[in-house]
Amino acid sequence: QVDLVESGGGLVQAGGSLRLSCGASGRTASTYAMGWFRQASGKEREFVAAIAWIGGRTNYAVTVKGRFTISRDHDSNTLYLQMNSLKPDDTAVYYCATSVRSDNAYFPGGDAKEYDYWGQGTQVTVSS
């Protein structure tokens, strides 16, 4: 019902910045929250940030809070992740996800199982 396409990944030096985008199409009106997750090589998928679609309440992982900013644009149905002060540990495949569950209407959860649709991911590599 919802198609997600990430873009903006690439190779950057430590301390640099990168902005990821996620375009959503389909039944986007049913979206309650959208989030970013990442999975590094040999690691489990982890939560990065999420935002409630109505109201814009945000939720950040401790590891990225203060460095990353999640935002969304209703008109274009686009989710963004502004990443600053990047570290080599940020290297991972970043996935965009959307939740159609009302549980996330006011507080965007960080559990991957709460999200229903996923993009294919975009690679972010941070060199030291």
Side-chain angles (χ1 to χ4, degrees):
Q1 292 184 335
V2 180
D3 296 322
L4 303 171
V5 180
E6 302 97 335
S7 63
L11 174 65
V12 298
Q13 293 184 337
S17 299
L18 201 64
R19 189 191 191 196
L20 304 183
S21 298
C22 174
S25 61
R27 294 186 60 83
T28 56
S30 62
T31 298
Y32 284 99
M34 293 189 72
W36 290 98
F37 296 78
R38 67 187 184 186
Q39 186 166 18
S41 179
K43 302 291 185 179
E44 295 183 347
R45 179 175 53 186
E46 66 175 357
F47 168 72
V48 176
I51 186 169
W53 209 245
I54 300 176
R57 186 175 182 180
T58 57
N59 181 16
Y60 292 94
V62 174
T63 52
V64 306
K65 192 171 185 177
R67 298 189 297 121
F68 293 6
T69 302
I70 188 171
S71 61
R72 87 289 195 213
D73 185 274
H74 289 281
D75 293 335
S76 62
N77 294 313
T78 304
L79 179 72
Y80 301 98
L81 183 67
Q82 178 65 48
M83 304 184 293
N84 298 325
S85 301
L86 284 163
K87 306 174 182 179
D89 286 345
D90 294 319
T91 296
V93 176
Y94 283 70
Y95 298 92
C96 171
T98 184
S99 174
V100 299
R101 311 182 192 195
S102 61
D103 289 348
N104 292 321
Y106 293 97
F107 180 77
D111 193 333
K113 68 181 181 181
E114 299 175 356
Y115 291 79
D116 306 284
Y117 302 98
W118 296 79
Q120 294 183 341
T122 184
Q123 177 71 50
V124 172
T125 302
V126 184
S127 62
S128 60

